[in-house]
Amino acid sequence: MAREGYFYWLDWPTYLQKHDPTGMAWYRNTGALVVKTPHNKQLEKVKASLDEVGVGYLDLDAEGIKTYLPNADLRKYFPQKWITDDGFGTPTGDKIDGALWIPESGYISDPTLSTHNVQVAAEAQGSEFQYNAEVIDILKKDGRAAGIKLADGTEYHTPIVVNVAGPHSGVINRLADVEKTMSIKTRPMKQEVAHVPAPEGMNWERDGYMLSDGDIGCYSRPEIGNHILIGSEDPEFDPLLWIDDADDYDTGFTDQWKCMVMREAMRIEGLPIPNKTQGVVDLYDCSDD
Ligand SMILES: Cc1cc2nc3c(=O)[nH]c(=O)nc-3n(C[C@H](O)[C@H](O)[C@H](O)COP(=O)(O)OP(=O)(O)OC[C@H]3O[C@@H](n4cnc5c(N)ncnc54)[C@H](O)[C@@H]3O)c2cc1C
């Protein structure tokens, strides 16, 4: 799916067949550096998959990482520890196992605009959208979903209802009365993303790329304002911030923010650890297994 999507993003206007007057989202092909760990089995299976679908990569030893990240601290920290655990920040080995450099990788910097592009393209094909309309019930007939009911009382009858409610998907499944038959259910989970300034002398906004570092349990990419955007790869022993009600939860940062930034600073020498938290707090829709 990712490989197929890559070609759509490379030529987004051709894929959509419609120009959005608001502007078109653009794909930044920065490349990606993915660190080998015992957990990802030194990326052996990943390499086999990349070979199979014809994606090029460079197989780097630890020193080879310096070509892409000159100020890398190459020491090993796996298995990751939580911020309050003994030994947090203490290396467990002299060097990480290496990494893959995958040049045909990147990101779309403006998901809102890209979604608007899709809306405009879909409308050109006859789709209709209705906004600010809450689905309060899933209509049923003969044991199947048969439509939706909105808060203003409007009903739409249809043989197919698609649940794309994101972190509210569990609520919709309960309205449809199907959750109890699902062996794997979905639940919202709080996630934090940190924005921190790049180290002095580093133009990460210009030179940066996707960095998936399973050794420290973080992913990162460049962000506007010469910032580094850091997210968690949710290592095994980190607390999971399950949320009961996706409409009512604490949207403040927790120790997850601090832990991620400190972990990223273990790899990128000179990364500032600001006192002021900055970034995004939102919800993942997660399977409960
Ligand atoms: C902090 C964070 C960082 C992320 N970073 C990245 C990233 O860097 N790259 C990436 O690819 N992905 C990222 N993701 C994941 C990405 O945001 C999601 O995969 C994506 O938004 C899912 O899109 P969706 O349309 O399925 O659901 P959503 O975007 O959640 O949309 C669901 C919509 O359904 C609506 N809805 C819910 N219930 C009802 C109802 N009863 N009636 C009417 N409407 C309803 C909601 O209001 C919402 O608009 C990130 C997620 C988080 C939380």
Side-chain angles (χ1 to χ4, degrees):
M1 285 172 69
R3 186 59 169 170
E4 189 178 317
Y6 171 74
F7 293 104
Y8 298 153
W9 290 114
L10 274 188
D11 192 0
W12 191 225
T14 300
Y15 175 63
L16 294 182
Q17 294 181 21
K18 181 75 187 170
H19 184 84
D20 183 347
T22 317
M24 298 296 275
W26 51 282
Y27 168 74
R28 249 197 108 198
N29 196 103
T30 55
L33 190 73
V34 186
V35 172
K36 295 179 184 178
T37 71
H39 184 67
N40 62 33
K41 303 187 171 53
Q42 273 67 40
L43 298 171
E44 286 303 322
K45 284 188 174 174
V46 173
K47 284 197 295 185
S49 296
L50 294 175
D51 289 340
E52 200 180 322
V53 291
V55 179
Y57 57 87
L58 289 175
D59 200 341
L60 307 171
D61 60 15
E63 285 301 328
I65 291 172
K66 291 262 183 188
T67 312
Y68 300 93
L69 194 60
N71 54 340
D73 179 334
L74 296 175
R75 287 175 296 179
K76 195 183 254 192
Y77 293 92
F78 190 89
Q80 304 88 4
K81 293 176 188 67
W82 181 240
I83 190 164
T84 52
D85 290 344
D86 285 346
F88 178 77
T90 306
T92 54
D94 289 343
K95 267 188 190 159
I96 44 177
D97 301 332
L100 296 188
W101 172 253
I102 309 170
E104 291 175 324
S105 307
Y107 62 93
I108 293 89
S109 64
D110 192 337
T112 310
L113 182 60
S114 70
T115 307
H116 192 266
N117 295 163
V118 174
Q119 178 199 336
V120 170
E123 282 170 339
Q125 301 285 334
S127 299
E128 291 175 26
F129 293 80
Q130 188 172 342
Y131 288 103
N132 301 313
E134 187 190 353
V135 174
I136 57 159
D137 201 8
I138 305 294
L139 308 175
K140 286 146 227 122
K141 194 178 167 200
D142 303 329
R144 282 186 57 94
I148 58 168
K149 184 175 180 182
L150 303 182
D152 69 0
T154 311
E155 291 188 0
Y156 290 99
H157 297 263
T158 165
I160 296 173
V161 177
V162 183
N163 179 356
V164 288
H168 292 81
S169 69
V171 176
I172 299 293
N173 286 336
R174 285 192 285 284
L175 290 178
D177 211 18
V178 295
E179 195 184 52
K180 57 181 183 288
T181 63
M182 298 166 68
S183 50
I184 299 175
K185 300 176 181 39
T186 52
R187 280 179 72 188
M189 185 190 282
K190 180 170 163 175
Q191 283 287 331
E192 297 165 39
V193 164
H195 293 184
V196 299
E200 219 175 298
M202 199 177 183
N203 190 337
W204 200 244
E205 188 170 351
R206 184 192 63 198
D207 304 331
Y209 46 81
M210 315 278 303
L211 173 59
S212 166
D213 193 336
D215 182 70
I216 50 165
C218 291
Y219 69 86
S220 61
R221 69 161 171 83
E223 180 58 35
I224 292 164
N226 199 23
H227 276 66
I228 303 187
L229 177 155
I230 307 164
S232 174
E233 293 191 351
D234 296 320
E236 200 176 345
F237 298 109
D238 281 12
L240 297 174
L241 308 175
W242 292 109
I243 298 296
D244 291 325
D245 183 352
D247 292 313
D248 182 19
Y249 68 98
D250 177 5
T251 55
F253 290 107
T254 68
D255 271 355
Q256 194 180 67
W257 190 97
K258 200 166 153 195
C259 186
M260 290 186 312
V261 178
M262 291 179 92
R263 281 178 177 154
E264 192 78 5
M266 294 174 202
R267 181 71 65 225
I268 303 178
E269 284 175 358
L271 185 79
I273 305 175
N275 284 325
K276 195 168 160 283
T277 53
Q278 207 184 329
V280 179
V281 176
D282 217 314
L283 299 173
Y284 276 174
D285 189 34
C286 285
S287 57
D288 58 7
D289 64 340

